[in-house]
Amino acid sequence: MATFKMPVQFEKPLQEPVNLSVILADAQGNIIQQSPLDEKGDASFDEALLKRGNLQVVVLPNTEDSLEGVTHLQQLERFRPYISSIDWSEGNRPLIKPIPPIFTEYWLLRFCRVLGRLTKTYLIGNNQVQLPVCKARVNICEVDKIFWLIRKIPDSVILRIPELFRVTPKLNIPKPNVLVNPQITRPNILVRPANTTPVAEPIIKLEPAIAARFNTANIPVLRNELVNNFKLLIPHFCRIPWLWPYFYRCDKIKTTYTDENGRFDTNIIYFTNGDKPDIYIWIECLINGVWETVYRPAIACNTRWDYVCGSEIHISITDPRVTPNCGPALAGEAVWIRTIGNFSVRDVLQTSNNTPVQGISFERKGLFRYGTDHRSPFATTATSAKLNFSVIFGSGLPLSGAKYFRWMCKKTHNEAMVPESGADIALTANIHRPYLVERMEGMIKHFDVGSVLLGPQAVNGKALYLIPPANPIGFEGITDSVGWMSMGVFTTDLDTRTLAGDGLYEFWLEIFDQAGNRVNPSQAFFQIPTAANFNSSETASGEYFGVCNGMNAFKMVMRIDSLNNKTVAEIYPVRLTSGPGGPYKVSNPCGFLDYTNGGDKNISIPFKAYQANNFADFSFSVGRGNAGTGAYPTVASISGMVIGDAGRYVRDVDGVYMPDDSPDLEFSPDELMQTCAAGGRAAFTQSLYVNALHVDGYRQLDELDSSASAAFALSKLA
């Protein structure tokens, strides 16, 4: 087939050589053929294609990934291609118009090293510990320059820009304060607004001379001012979400992965145009075998403008689905039982401790230490994670004498901690271990994820699980892996609602030989985290070791509370126990409770804060005043655990709290009204939050929380 040469010319000579490609596309933007420029600056195309008519000619830089997998012109926008038509004015010689400098200056390429570290802070015991996030997918994007976007922004959006610089009244919307009880993770909110004066000010406040330039309805002038002052506007636009879809667009230019220390380090190619790259990064992690986005904040507020190549970027993620996956290696023939989800096994109390709470004996054995005390049971809900026991297997495993493992459990006490002899329960959920497979696309490295089923496998009449080796190559037919996804192996996937009811359970980790027979490891075979360092191990202490079915095994106890575990929060009408209207008078239809003597302690304020097995905190707030003058806590506010009496409130068997009828426990109007007593009238807000203490190994289960609110007013009779 005959070919035609198509010369590519420039309005101004190039500052330096640039590798270019020329593309033919149809009127719809579909790519038909592409050709690099030869040493003479010509592209070569099939004659038949060139003479089809109605074609677009596209010139763009030829980088390592510019044309990889591209089928349509829309995929090339980030390279700022020059688009023209074919000129046949010189007879049988196809030409295109010379390329303007605005394109060629932009096409000057540079390499930029982008490096950084990815971490997440975990609650381990009573400490906040920052750990690296390994094998995460780091997506690096370059944010489009404003001078390329400005012409695409609709006129209607441009015409709204001047209003951002005009003075507008500021509404006096009070900002609430938070009344925090240190013993409760999610405290009740008591509104106590600041009494601020409204201030009139523009949304964007710049120097008057600059702001005045935006006081126009001339659209071309506004576009120019936006381009010229964009860096001054960046921090302000971060606060104006309706602008984001028009002013910020990000093209992914590189994908890389974090290493065992949570670090990433790669080179990108960017177009200089006399400027530095503007970098935006978003993160994916492998969760249940699927790459899930775990960090993708707003581009407008999280772009690294004028990124200095080689400077370190630190990203801290908070997604609760991300678990510690950079665990240290374990040498030799040993098994390190490390965590339940994210939580260290060392933070589950293995011995008895029934120190009273609010005068009531409270047994903590098997409870997780969430905060400063062991008060949290384990549970599974419809929206929570299941219980995942993370184990690191030593580099000397598996052996013929230690090829399989299995978790067993049995109930030893019921929900009231009364001894009970339960049956052995084998944990038989499917357990997979993910591994990485390296894949190259051109010059770019990517990773895919495979997984291998560890079990259950029927061996000698038992449902057992394979102990995986340190290197996945050769294990269960794996031939192409570059390593396990993480050092730890989730060896269980337990829905606690499937167990034999709530109570205290013993969990046992047994080891089996290649024939499926139980073996008798030494105590040193089983490792647990040290108390001082989550990333160091030591031989399991006596409470984590015992004999199961006649052989040594790892043991731990856990308190399960998964049935009827939802909390209850209810607020009942406030009433007078003596005075006008007879005993137990409640407020009138207008919401007022009339009283005669401000010193009488005759006001009862009942509420219900309940959880079936007392695994909850509560915070009850009674605030005086309204949004205009400020709401202030009163002596009727109280917090505690739902287990027993608190302050002047007495708890009954149904979890209802109210002051006893004894006069010294009820509240007087003067106590509640304080500075409002002289006027004889005051309004009060009531809010109750009951905070479940349950955990799933990753978080506290706030779906089990409950809340209520109410109000009342006191009025003194003349």
Side-chain angles (χ1 to χ4, degrees), residues 113-128:
R113 185 180 177 190
V114 180
L115 57 89
R117 188 165 185 253
L118 183 62
T119 64
K120 179 182 174 183
T121 298
Y122 300 89
L123 178 65
I124 298 175
N126 197 33
N127 300 311
Q128 299 285 336

Side-chain angles (χ1 to χ4, degrees), residues 265-563:
D265 191 343
T266 190
N267 286 317
I268 63 170
I269 295 175
Y270 72 100
F271 301 99
T272 60
N273 194 42
D275 205 351
K276 297 177 181 177
D278 299 323
I279 297 298
Y280 171 80
I281 293 177
W282 56 281
I283 306 295
E284 297 171 283
C285 286
L286 188 73
I287 299 172
N288 296 326
V290 178
W291 287 105
E292 301 279 5
T293 299
V294 297
Y295 174 85
R296 196 165 190 167
I299 296 176
C301 308
N302 294 274
T303 294
R304 289 158 175 86
W305 304 100
D306 291 337
Y307 173 68
V308 178
C309 299
S311 59
E312 178 155 307
I313 298 170
H314 181 205
I315 297 175
S316 179
I317 64 176
T318 58
D319 193 299
R321 299 171 297 173
V322 178
T323 63
N325 64 344
C326 300
L330 181 65
E333 300 171 15
V335 172
W336 183 356
I337 300 87
R338 195 162 177 247
T339 65
I340 303 163
N342 288 346
F343 299 164
S344 173
V345 297
R346 289 295 295 260
D347 292 318
V348 181
L349 189 64
Q350 299 297 301
T351 56
S352 178
N353 178 346
N354 55 13
T355 302
V357 174
Q358 294 162 217
I360 306 297
S361 178
F362 179 62
E363 178 58 73
R364 294 163 174 79
K365 187 174 184 180
L367 297 179
F368 173 72
R369 183 177 64 188
Y370 205 104
T372 59
D373 195 3
H374 293 85
R375 298 190 302 147
S376 293
F378 289 87
T380 305
T381 70
T383 55
S384 76
K386 297 179 182 179
L387 292 192
N388 305 134
F389 298 165
S390 179
V391 173
I392 296 178
F393 293 98
S395 59
L397 299 177
L399 300 167
S400 60
K403 185 175 181 179
Y404 299 99
F405 70 91
R406 179 178 70 174
W407 282 97
M408 300 283 292
C409 73
K410 65 178 179 180
K411 188 176 181 181
T412 63
H413 295 72
N414 67 12
E415 65 275 11
M417 291 301 285
V418 175
E420 179 179 307
S421 181
D424 287 352
I425 302 172
L427 307 189
T428 57
N430 286 346
I431 301 298
H432 293 81
R433 187 172 189 187
Y435 59 89
L436 291 174
V437 179
E438 188 175 287
R439 170 173 53 86
M440 299 297 295
E441 291 184 1
M443 299 292 292
I444 302 175
K445 180 189 296 184
H446 293 276
F447 288 99
D448 293 326
V449 179
S451 68
V452 59
L453 179 68
L454 301 184
Q457 301 196 13
V459 183
N460 195 18
K462 308 176 189 71
L464 304 181
Y465 296 80
L466 288 164
I467 295 176
N471 188 335
I473 295 293
F475 178 65
E476 293 295 289
I478 298 174
T479 60
D480 54 353
S481 174
V482 295
W484 296 113
M485 189 68 194
S486 65
M487 294 301 298
V489 183
F490 283 158
T491 55
T492 62
D493 193 37
L494 173 62
D495 186 336
T496 58
R497 296 170 297 181
T498 64
L499 295 176
D502 294 336
L504 185 69
Y505 283 78
E506 287 182 348
F507 288 86
W508 297 85
L509 177 61
E510 301 176 292
I511 305 299
F512 298 81
D513 63 19
Q514 61 185 356
N517 301 308
R518 290 185 183 86
V519 297
N520 202 36
S522 67
Q523 188 167 346
F525 180 85
F526 298 106
Q527 301 280 303
I528 59 175
T530 64
N533 186 351
F534 174 72
N535 286 317
S536 297
S537 72
E538 64 184 13
T539 298
S541 51
E543 61 264 29
Y544 291 97
F545 181 75
V547 175
C548 178
N549 295 313
M551 296 292 184
N552 292 338
F554 173 85
K555 179 194 75 171
M556 65 179 174
V557 296
M558 297 173 60
R559 188 81 178 268
I560 304 298
D561 191 61
S562 284
L563 306 178

Side-chain angles (χ1 to χ4, degrees), residues 8 39 83 124 164 192 210 240 347 408 464 496 529 537 604 631:
V8 174
E39 65 277 2
I83 302 177
I124 298 175
L164 303 175
R192 186 179 183 179
I210 298 176
I240 310 173
D347 292 318
M408 300 283 292
L464 304 181
T496 58
S537 72
S604 180

Side-chain angles (χ1 to χ4, degrees), residues 542-595:
E543 61 264 29
Y544 291 97
F545 181 75
V547 175
C548 178
N549 295 313
M551 296 292 184
N552 292 338
F554 173 85
K555 179 194 75 171
M556 65 179 174
V557 296
M558 297 173 60
R559 188 81 178 268
I560 304 298
D561 191 61
S562 284
L563 306 178
N564 303 314
N565 55 9
K566 175 71 175 176
T567 61
V568 177
E570 296 175 355
I571 297 177
Y572 304 122
V574 176
R575 59 192 183 181
L576 290 178
T577 56
S578 63
Y584 307 116
K585 178 184 179 182
V586 298
S587 58
N588 64 31
C590 296
F592 283 91
L593 192 63
D594 298 325
Y595 71 94

